[in-house]
Amino acid sequence: MGRRGGLGLSAAFRSGVASTQHEGIGPFYWHGVRRTAESSEKGYERLVLPGTLEQAHRRALRSLAAAAGLSCETFGPKACRRITLALPAECSCCVNALSFAADACLTASELRNALEEAFGLQPLTDEDIT
């Protein structure tokens, strides 16, 4: 029997291989300001937001996602449609998501903190999200 290739499942968990797949998004411009992003310290690759967001927050999040290269999807019933922001190429070995309850009421400050925690987006202000 011949030697097996080095690209099997065990190869993905060798030192350094899996960690290189968890890269964030690069720098981008949004509202005329250069923004940066870093990989989440907790390994988050998605942010699942409640269906109670104000319309202004939803618009800002869609615009931010488009500028940053994040995917932005909505799901759920029309009366309580939730938003998911995610890295463009999520790692299949990790499904870590920062998720809020469907009926949670988030302020602009809480949204900003969630974006910073999930994607390391800097600089962001509360005014950027409204």
Side-chain angles (χ1 to χ4, degrees):
M1 193 183 270
R3 185 174 176 258
R4 294 173 52 184
L7 297 178
L9 183 59
S10 63
F13 293 100
R14 286 188 199 137
S15 175
V17 175
S19 63
T20 60
Q21 294 176 357
H22 297 275
E23 295 178 10
I25 50 181
F28 62 97
Y29 283 89
W30 186 52
H31 294 268
V33 177
R34 186 175 189 267
R35 319 281 176 160
T36 59
E38 297 177 0
S39 296
S40 169
E41 291 179 7
K42 296 182 180 178
Y44 293 133
E45 295 185 341
R46 285 183 292 151
L47 176 60
V48 182
L49 297 165
T52 58
L53 295 179
E54 297 176 14
Q55 187 175 13
H57 292 162
R58 289 175 175 278
R59 281 190 196 127
L61 289 169
R62 282 192 297 270
S63 171
L64 174 62
L70 297 170
S71 69
C72 180
E73 298 178 6
T74 59
F75 65 96
K78 188 174 182 178
C80 189
R81 193 147 296 156
R82 299 183 74 180
I83 295 178
T84 299
L85 301 177
L87 293 177
E90 294 178 71
C91 176
S92 61
C93 70
C94 302
V95 291
N96 293 337
L98 176 55
S99 185
F100 293 90
D103 60 350
C105 294
L106 301 179
T107 65
S109 179
E110 291 169 323
L111 281 173
R112 179 181 46 80
N113 289 336
L115 288 164
E116 290 173 356
E117 187 174 353
F119 304 114
L121 297 177
Q122 294 287 334
L124 280 180
T125 64
D126 294 353
E127 290 78 27
D128 290 331
I129 300 171
T130 56

